[in-house]
Amino acid sequence: MQIHATASAGRQATKAGAAAWVGLGVLSVPIFMTAVDMSVLFLAIPTIAADLLPSGTQQLWVLHIGDIAGASLVLTAGRLVDQFGPRRLLMLGLVGYALASSLAALAPTIEVLILARMLLGASAVTIAPAGAALLRSLFPLNRQFSVAIALFMAAFSGGMALGPPLGGLVLEHFWWGAIFLFNVPIAIGVVGLWWLLPKVDGNGSGRIDGLSIALSALGIAGLVYGGQELAAGGWSPWHALAVVAGVSLMAAFIRRQRTLDVPMLDLSLFRSVPLTLALISIWLVITAGAGADMQFAQHLQVVMGHGPLGAGMLLVVPALFSMGATAASPILLRWLRPGFAIGAGAGVAVVGAALMVVAVSAGPEASIVFLIGAACLVAIGMAPVFAIGTTVVLANAPPAQTGSAQGMQEVSGSLGNTAGLALGGSVAYVSYSGAMSVRLPAGLDKATAHQSVESVGGALAGAAHLPPDAAALLVRAITESFTVATRDTYFVAVLGFAVAATLAFVGLRTARIDGDEGETPTAGTDEATAGGSEQLTTHRDRR
């Protein structure tokens, strides 16, 4: 069965049966596993550092090399899924994930662990595009497909939410390598259930262009790596050069796609207005929210006085709300068009972020219930943007290019996260430094004053060496300044969410997800797709 067979004109789509939902359950296991793996690593780093004694740079590479490897290969993975078939690529990816997990668990040195983390990122990159392509085959009706995609994404949210407590439980009773070894039987178990997934062949045409793979991989890696390092460590000419090199390589990649008979990324996909605007909406929301999320995690510790474990447990609450809201997002499509549902979600996120501005402004006197409640509202509002936005992206791509479309969505998310951390980190730094410079207690020595203005960590370290009265005054200045920084990052989030809501209400107002029960999937093209491929989702108004 060819991937594109499900979109053949005149074929009546049938409602997915029990086997399709079982297949969804199988596909949800690896996405949950990789999310848990991402979230537990932060808990394990202190134990790993005590055992393997990494340098500061090596420790950062352990944390980020998997993300960089995955982001750099995501377009390649999407193309390989389309070329060779999603089930085959998923099985190969899971076998690679099991082997890389075993290597990480038994790593004798920090260098081996870094290599294993890179291989984990490269193996995991097949899961999302292959899963999306298999779901497209399992659920030919777009309404059911939107539910399946939402549940698939909710599995990822659930893994991120439950990862810290599960990881804490494992680390409490076993050595740090157990968090990696835990994945091996899960990955192999899913491989053993391959027969529950449909055999969907790739298109098998054309050739894999090695230069395109190199340009896209190195280009995205440069953008993500340079952006992350600039966000984490401030200005550096080398990291800025990595970003510039990444942009240049991606420009060369795009130029090359225009010259190939069978491009790795079909740029005609962007002629679809719904697909393009949905990608932009996802990027905007992640960019708006990433920096605020990072700042709020620190705010719970610096301002509210919670320890790392306490802050982590509090953050599980909005993560669980995010999981539930993601799974429930398709319900909105009973009453709203996709664009209005995405816009309504972004609007709810605007309200939640505005409430966060009010809540955090109270500093340590803020109600923790109010704070977490507002954070939950932001999470609930962001969920439809991801779930329904992803459905719009995939439904507006030809079924034979579902893997490539999912790859573009992953790139949008990766670049959004990088941009959000850079933007949020910059806003927080400027706001904190400006507020701290006018709140510094009198009588501080020049070195302590300088390091206190530069970073909250330096300020807290300086306070530890001061007499009690002077330390109390400096801690008060730290608390007030950090409160200003958190407030300002949520101002930025309000603006970003509002832009995303406006874009969805205006730009996606006519977009639809066709294919209700009993309907034949649309096989035409919308007004924005010139001479092109079959589309499963079209504009409502073709005139």
Side-chain angles (χ1 to χ4, degrees), residues 59-299:
Q59 187 167 304
L60 287 174
W61 276 113
V62 170
L63 288 171
H64 297 306
I65 188 65
D67 295 335
I68 294 170
S72 64
L73 292 173
V74 70
L75 284 180
T76 302
R79 182 68 183 94
L80 292 176
V81 165
D82 296 337
Q83 183 81 2
F84 298 110
R87 189 173 73 174
R88 183 181 302 169
L89 264 294
L90 178 63
M91 296 302 110
L92 288 174
L94 287 172
V95 170
Y97 200 86
L99 293 174
S101 294
S102 300
L103 180 62
L106 304 174
T109 66
I110 193 64
E111 290 81 8
V112 174
L113 181 58
I114 291 171
L115 173 63
R117 285 281 298 148
M118 182 181 68
L119 295 175
L120 280 169
S123 300
V125 76
T126 63
I127 292 175
L134 288 168
L135 290 177
R136 177 74 274 180
S137 176
L138 287 168
F139 298 92
L141 289 175
N142 281 357
R143 293 289 181 179
Q144 284 193 313
F145 179 58
S146 67
V147 174
I149 282 291
L151 293 174
F152 185 64
M153 296 181 68
F156 182 84
S157 299
M160 293 297 291
L162 299 178
L166 287 175
L169 185 64
V170 171
L171 291 170
E172 186 75 19
H173 297 93
F174 303 97
W175 96 111
W176 60 263
I179 66 170
F180 297 108
L181 206 59
F182 185 75
N183 298 326
V184 176
I186 297 175
I188 297 302
V190 174
V191 171
L193 298 175
W194 64 269
W195 52 275
L196 292 173
L197 301 174
K199 184 181 184 300
V200 182
D201 296 327
N203 52 42
S205 61
R207 64 184 180 86
I208 299 298
D209 183 58
L211 182 56
S212 292
I213 291 175
L215 289 172
S216 66
L218 294 174
I220 296 173
L223 284 170
V224 173
Y225 169 71
Q228 283 184 352
E229 294 303 307
L230 287 172
W235 169 256
S236 163
W238 293 110
H239 296 148
L241 183 61
V243 173
V244 172
V247 171
S248 301
L249 289 170
M250 286 306 297
F253 168 77
I254 291 171
R255 285 197 301 271
R256 182 162 180 79
Q257 302 317 292
R258 297 180 182 276
T259 67
L260 295 175
D261 293 334
V262 183
M264 193 175 94
L265 176 63
D266 188 352
L267 298 178
S268 68
L269 288 172
F270 292 103
R271 295 175 185 167
S272 168
V273 173
L275 182 148
T276 302
L277 293 184
L279 285 174
I280 294 173
S281 296
I282 292 170
W283 178 82
L284 273 172
V285 166
I286 294 178
T287 300
D293 286 346
M294 175 185 68
Q295 186 70 12
F296 183 55
Q298 298 176 69
H299 184 90

